Each structure stands twice: as C-alpha cells, then as structure tokens.
C-alpha cells in the first residue's frame, strides 16, 4: 500500500517508517522537523519507496496520487515541549488532524490517530482502561498537550460518524528506544544520559510516582496491528510492567555501572500536574489485536543505552 506518515522523522514515526518499508509499502513522510530529524531517516534515504516532504500539517497539504492509509503521529510530545511549543502542539493536533482527516476522506484512505495516555491526566482509575474519561487539568502546563489530543480524538470520531472515514485511535503509553532526542526531557533520555556521564540521576518529588515503559519495537507492532485490523479503538498500547521512577533509575545505574546514585529534586514548573501513577490496561489490545509486549525491560534498556552511548560520543558530550 501507499501510506502517509506525519511526524515520520520523529522518534516513533521513523521506526514506523522502517516497519512499512520493510513490508514493501510505499511511504510518504510529512514532517516539519520541529522535533524530528532527517538523521532518523538517513539509513533509508536511498530507499526508492520513501518520499520525505518537509511541511507543517497545521497548514493545508496536497499529496499527488493514491493514498491507502494515513498514520497521523505529528506532534511534539515531551514535557519540555509543553512550555516551549504549546501553540504548535495545539495547532498540529487540531488543524493538523483536521487537514489529514480531510485528506483521508478525499482519498478514501484509512486514518490512524496517534493519541496518548495523557488523555487520562492524573488518573483516578488504575490501571487505565479505554473507557476511563480521565482527570485532566485544562489550565495547567500539560493542558496544551492533553487537551489537544482529546480534541484530536473527538474530531477523528466526528469524521468517522459524519463522513464515514475509516479511522483507528491508538493511545500510546511511555515509550523508549533508539532515536529519542538527547534533550528530549523525558525520563529515559535524562536518566541514560546522566548515567553514562557518571552523574546522579535526577528524580523529581519523592520519586515514587510510577510509569510503565514500552520498547519502541513493541509499540510499532501494536500500531501496525491496529491499522490492519477492523478495530476503531481507542486501544491502549503500552507495557503494563509498572515501576516507580526511583526503581527505574536504579535499574539504569545498575546497567551502566554508574555509582553516582539518585538525586531527588523539587518538581519544576513544566512538571506541574505530573501523573502520580501510569499503567495501561492492555486487555483490549490483547483480545482484539493479539498484541502483547515482547521486549523485556532489560533487553530494551540495553539496546537504548548502546544507542545513547554512540550518540553522546558523536556529540562529544
């Protein structure tokens, strides 16, 4: 098939590009490179089935020829971006989603929205199921991202109901792996970079807040399965192995041999409203898609640390 992937030069998007290229599909990447990088696609630059279009999908876009599917992943997604790029986040998830849904309607293409566990806010239901409506602070620093994704889900379902667009919604939980930005601001790049430099790992608050980390290959497998299925969704894709941030930091220090330990610091402004717990209920993904995470945390972290070690050496950091 021919698939358009917005945000295809980003962390998750570039891995999804690899998966579809490996399957023999034609891929059109659309990315404004605000947080993505052409380096993430450099290994596939000569692939005859790959086309890269530098464009902000918050503005109208025309793609010549047939399009069978659209995977809409475009959006900054890191806590540091919530304060740095809130208007861009709101625009790409509202106007960008609107434009790509319009393309899906015009082309008769299937449309997949990359939504997020941030939909659930600071959850009062644990683990989080897809029928939980969330506990979101619309006015806090995370509100730009949380509410943007909630709107994106709403307009996606409106196009499905009103115009018959064939849609899929995936809610992505914490994901990690190669090609994350060094300055991403999320816990895995922060911890791995600090650990490889022999620095104490910075945890905020008491460090007892929890997260569930899914390796990027497992996430991509879930996205591909959902796209190919008849399931509209939403469907949670994430690893239900729940760890406190402090426990996660200890694992990374043990893996890298970093003796510097952990430093607890007050919560910075951009972390206000951080969820205290986050863990997906994946019963729907398991029963409807036959999906479960397969990469163990130790294996995934080993691959990620190796990639970050090379990146730090390349950057001279």
């Amino acid at each position: 098939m021919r698939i358009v992937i917005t945000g295809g030069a980003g962390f998750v998007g570039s891995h999804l590009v690899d998966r579809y290229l490996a399957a023999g599909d034609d891929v059109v990447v659309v990315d404004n490179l605000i947080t993505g990088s052409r380096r993430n696609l450099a290994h596939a630059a000569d692939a005859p089935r790959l086309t890269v279009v530098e464009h902000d999908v918050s503005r109208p876009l025309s793609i010549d020829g047939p399009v069978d599917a659209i995977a809409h992943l475009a959006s900054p997604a890191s806590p540091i971006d919530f304060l740095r790029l809130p208007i861009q986040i709101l625009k790409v998830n509202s106007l960008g989603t609107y434009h790509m849904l319009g393309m899906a309607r015009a082309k008769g293409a299937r449309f997949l929205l990359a939504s997020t566990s941030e939909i659930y806010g600071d959850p009062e239901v644990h683990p989080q199921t897809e029928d939980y409506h969330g506990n979101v602070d619309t006015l806090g620093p995370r509100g730009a991202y949380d509410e943007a994704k909630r709107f994106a889900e709403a307009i996606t379902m409106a196009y499905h109901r009103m115009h018959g667009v064939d849609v899929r919604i995936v809610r992505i939980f914490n994901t990690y792996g190669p090609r994350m930005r060094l300055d991403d601001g999320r816990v895995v790049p922060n911890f791995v970079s600090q650990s490889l430099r022999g620095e104490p790992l910075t945890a905020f608050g008491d460090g007892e807040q929890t997260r569930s980390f899914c390796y990027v290959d497992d996430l991509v497998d879930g996205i591909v399965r959902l796209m190919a299925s008849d399931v509209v969704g939403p469907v949670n894709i994430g690893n239900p192995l729940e760890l406190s941030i402090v426990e996660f930091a200890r694992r990374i220090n043990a893996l890298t041999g970093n003796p510097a330990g952990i430093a607890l610091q007050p919560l910075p402004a951009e972390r206000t409203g951080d969820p205290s717990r986050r863990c997906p209920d994946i019963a729907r993904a398991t029963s409807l898609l036959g999906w479960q995470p397969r990469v163990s945390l130790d294996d995934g972290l080993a691959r990620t640390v190796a990639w970050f070690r090379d990146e730090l050496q390349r950057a001279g950091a």
Side-chain angles (χ1 to χ4, degrees):
M1 66 177 177
R2 187 171 188 236
I3 181 170
V4 172
I5 301 178
T6 73
F11 160 48
V12 172
S14 63
H15 286 277
L16 189 63
V17 169
D18 289 347
R19 178 66 177 266
Y20 280 116
L21 287 176
D25 296 315
D26 293 324
V27 179
V28 179
V29 168
V30 182
D31 202 305
N32 67 353
L33 305 180
I34 191 171
T35 56
S37 171
R38 286 186 179 271
R39 287 189 63 245
N40 290 335
L41 300 171
H43 61 284
D46 296 328
R49 292 189 176 92
L50 175 64
T51 302
V52 180
V53 178
E54 188 172 340
H55 181 84
D56 182 352
V57 295
S58 299
R59 296 183 287 110
L61 170 70
S62 177
I63 298 289
D64 293 334
V67 174
D68 301 298
I70 298 169
H72 182 39
L73 277 69
S75 179
S78 169
I80 64 170
D81 299 328
F82 302 163
L83 289 180
R84 188 173 64 97
L85 301 167
I87 295 173
Q88 291 91 329
I89 289 170
L90 286 158
K91 287 176 68 175
V92 74
N93 285 292
S94 54
L95 294 171
T97 305
Y98 167 71
H99 291 144
M100 299 316 297
L101 282 164
M103 180 184 291
R105 183 187 180 194
K107 300 284 189 180
R110 178 168 293 180
F111 177 86
L112 180 140
L113 172 68
S115 188
T116 172
S117 60
E118 290 286 337
I119 287 287
Y120 304 119
D122 190 3
E124 296 172 338
V125 170
H126 194 80
Q128 290 80 64
T129 59
E130 290 90 346
D131 58 0
Y132 174 53
H133 294 163
N135 177 36
V136 173
D137 175 8
T138 63
L139 303 180
R142 304 178 81 94
Y145 185 66
D146 299 4
E147 286 301 299
K149 287 297 186 181
R150 288 162 74 93
F151 176 87
E153 288 196 10
I155 194 173
T156 296
M157 291 307 299
Y159 265 74
H160 176 61
R161 296 186 185 106
M162 297 300 296
H163 300 308
V165 176
D166 188 17
V167 304
R168 306 287 181 270
I169 297 175
V170 57
R171 289 180 179 165
I172 298 171
F173 280 69
N174 293 74
T175 305
Y176 71 100
R179 301 180 200 161
M180 297 188 87
R181 290 148 47 200
L182 283 172
D183 61 348
D184 182 89
R186 284 180 277 196
V187 65
V188 173
N190 284 355
F191 280 2
V192 173
S193 297
Q194 288 176 324
S195 188
L196 288 173
R197 295 186 182 110
E199 301 168 356
L201 275 56
T202 303
F204 299 119
D206 61 7
E208 293 304 314
Q209 61 270 42
T210 68
R211 295 294 182 269
S212 304
F213 296 95
C214 183
Y215 190 67
V216 65
D217 288 359
D218 283 332
L219 170 64
V220 165
D221 181 52
I223 291 174
V224 169
R225 286 173 183 251
L226 179 59
M227 179 73 89
S229 76
D230 294 325
V231 179
V232 171
V235 177
N236 291 336
I237 298 292
N239 193 323
L241 175 64
E242 184 181 10
L243 296 173
S244 73
I245 293 300
V246 166
E247 184 178 356
F248 187 65
R250 291 191 186 111
R251 287 206 180 199
I252 291 177
N253 274 339
L255 181 64
T256 61
N258 178 28
I262 300 166
L264 297 178
Q265 293 188 4
L267 203 67
E270 67 269 21
R271 299 281 182 173
T272 301
D274 258 14
S276 57
R277 300 186 73 183
R278 178 146 305 155
C279 180
D281 183 310
I282 62 169
R284 185 176 292 184
T286 300
S287 63
L288 298 180
L289 305 179
W291 179 87
Q292 290 188 30
R294 300 183 182 279
V295 179
S296 71
L297 183 61
D298 288 343
D299 188 13
L301 283 177
R303 301 181 201 178
T304 304
V305 166
W307 186 85
F308 270 97
R309 183 178 284 112
D310 290 343
E311 282 295 287
L312 287 169
Q313 289 175 352
R314 184 190 66 83

